[in-house]
Amino acid sequence: MKFALTSLSFYVVLLHLVNIQSSLAQNCTGAAPVIANASSPAANTTDGAATTFTCNEGYELTSGNLTLLCDNGTWSWDGVEPVCSDIDDCGSSPCKNGATCTDQVNDYMCTCVPGYSDKNCSTDIDDCSTNPCENGATCNDEVNDYNCTCVPGYSDKNCSTDIDDCSTNPCENGATCNDEVNDYNCTCVPGYSDKNCSTDIDDCSTNPCQNGGTCA
């Protein structure tokens, strides 16, 4: 009987101590800490409660723990204070063809080398799109350039220059040379013929001399 009373007394004292401790526990009343680049949820101010933060989009946890505790009226992190750092969006090397990648928040920007375009600089700009080649030439696209395959008779970058077929002086015996496209024609002086006026016309071929005369 004496043992029973002692046990009961111990239980009453223990319950009393628990009640005292509960009455002494304090909720958190001050403003909860703010973490850069992280969400700020309504922190649970109840003593012993935990509140979990979240890094903002484009950021990742690089150290610490995102759990905030209310410990008898005091805010404390469950471990080291967290740090949310900008994710390196250039880390996967999204920019192509020698472009420079600039990291942004939850994004990136590629600075293309001349001749490429689009988000990742993966598209070769069609330098033939403006039809730079003239006079029936074929345009061949290159990186930040083009070249023209001219039809015969034309030259220069855009095939806009008619080649002077008279530049080699093909016409002979005082003939006049007339340039054409990939050709020429000669205006012969009287007495000459053929393409280059190199043939002396045989004026005796018609036997113009009569009465036994000799044509020379």
Side-chain angles (χ1 to χ4, degrees):
M1 184 68 178
K2 182 178 181 181
F3 175 77
L5 289 174
T6 301
S7 298
L8 179 62
S9 299
F10 175 77
Y11 175 77
V12 170
V13 170
L14 179 63
L15 182 62
H16 182 64
L17 289 175
V18 169
N19 290 334
I20 292 175
Q21 185 176 9
S22 298
S23 65
L24 292 176
Q26 298 182 19
N27 294 335
C28 293
T29 57
V34 175
I35 300 302
N37 307 315
S39 65
S40 299
N44 191 332
T45 60
T46 303
D47 180 53
T51 302
T52 301
F53 285 60
T54 304
C55 292
N56 294 337
E57 188 173 5
Y59 292 87
E60 63 183 350
L61 182 67
T62 52
S63 67
N65 191 309
L66 288 168
T67 300
L68 179 66
L69 304 175
C70 177
D71 183 12
N72 195 26
T74 301
W75 296 112
S76 63
W77 294 104
D78 184 13
V80 180
E81 182 175 339
V83 175
C84 292
S85 301
D86 180 16
I87 296 173
D88 182 8
D89 299 289
C90 291
S92 60
S93 301
C95 302
K96 309 301 180 183
N97 298 304
T100 301
C101 187
T102 302
D103 182 44
Q104 299 178 339
V105 176
N106 200 35
D107 200 3
Y108 62 89
M109 180 183 71
C110 297
T111 303
C112 303
V113 298
Y116 291 96
S117 66
D118 78 29
K119 173 72 173 178
N120 292 344
C121 305
S122 57
T123 301
D124 179 6
I125 296 172
D126 183 6
D127 299 288
C128 289
S129 62
T130 57
N131 301 312
C133 302
E134 304 177 19
N135 297 306
T138 300
C139 187
N140 309 290
D141 182 45
E142 298 178 351
V143 177
N144 198 38
D145 199 6
Y146 62 91
N147 73 73
C148 298
T149 303
C150 303
V151 298
Y154 290 96
S155 67
D156 77 28
K157 175 73 172 176
N158 293 343
C159 303
S160 58
T161 301
D162 178 8
I163 296 172
D164 183 7
D165 299 288
C166 289
S167 62
T168 57
N169 300 312
C171 302
E172 303 177 18
N173 298 304
T176 301
C177 186
N178 308 290
D179 181 45
E180 298 177 352
V181 176
N182 200 36
D183 200 4
Y184 63 90
N185 72 72
C186 297
T187 302
C188 302
V189 298
Y192 291 94
S193 67
D194 75 29
K195 174 72 174 177
N196 291 344
C197 303
S198 58
T199 301
D200 182 3
I201 297 172
D202 183 5
D203 297 296
C204 292
S205 63
T206 58
N207 299 311
C209 300
Q210 303 178 6
N211 301 309
T214 300
C215 185

